[in-house]
Amino acid sequence: MTRIERLGASPYVMLLARCLLGCNEALVAFITDTEQRATVAGDMLRDLYGLGRAEAEIATALARGLDLDAIAEQRSTSVGTVRNQVKAIAAKMECTRQVDIVRKILSIPIICLPDEKGRA
């Protein structure tokens, strides 16, 4: 996972994945706007994985690229508390690593409905 910084906006995140296409192996790059995806994903995580409100907030913070220290500071709690919550999130999402949590969040499909002016 690589963060691509943008001026005045949240970073893009690029994930590389090995895929089988027929008999051939390919490397596929997924680039996403973490702010948009994490905002939508936060609501869905509670339904999909049974996360509590705080767990969903921490999971989406991870997807936005924040580390445990930054999340703890943002939530005015200790890093140990955040670490324990991440362990609970990983268990509920059936993940073994933080990067797996982020991958699952970033893979949640987002459906952008048009606004009143017809823009998605």
Side-chain angles (χ1 to χ4, degrees):
M1 183 171 69
T2 302
R3 289 173 55 132
I4 303 168
E5 297 296 329
R6 297 188 292 171
L7 291 176
S10 62
Y12 288 120
V13 171
M14 181 175 66
L15 297 171
L16 296 176
R18 259 186 13 206
C19 300
L20 287 177
L21 300 173
C23 297
N24 300 315
E25 190 172 304
L27 185 63
V28 179
F30 297 95
I31 299 176
T32 187
D33 181 341
T34 58
E35 191 68 35
Q36 178 191 25
R37 183 165 295 280
T39 300
V40 173
D43 298 333
M44 299 175 80
L45 290 173
R46 295 177 75 182
D47 293 332
L48 291 172
Y49 299 105
L51 300 186
R53 182 191 51 78
E55 291 171 332
E57 289 173 4
I58 290 169
T60 57
L62 288 172
R64 286 187 183 103
L66 296 178
D67 62 15
L68 298 184
D69 291 327
I71 295 169
E73 183 177 324
Q74 184 181 61
R75 299 183 60 76
S76 300
T77 190
S78 73
V79 176
T81 298
V82 173
R83 187 174 289 115
N84 287 335
Q85 289 172 306
V86 169
K87 287 179 186 177
I89 293 164
K92 289 179 180 181
M93 293 181 70
E94 298 179 355
C95 296
T96 56
R97 301 176 301 159
Q98 287 180 30
V99 69
D100 297 330
I101 294 170
V102 172
R103 282 186 184 131
K104 275 194 174 184
I105 292 170
L106 297 181
S107 70
I108 295 172
I110 294 178
I111 299 171
C112 295
L113 300 174
D115 61 13
E116 59 276 351
K117 294 182 181 179
R119 297 178 298 208

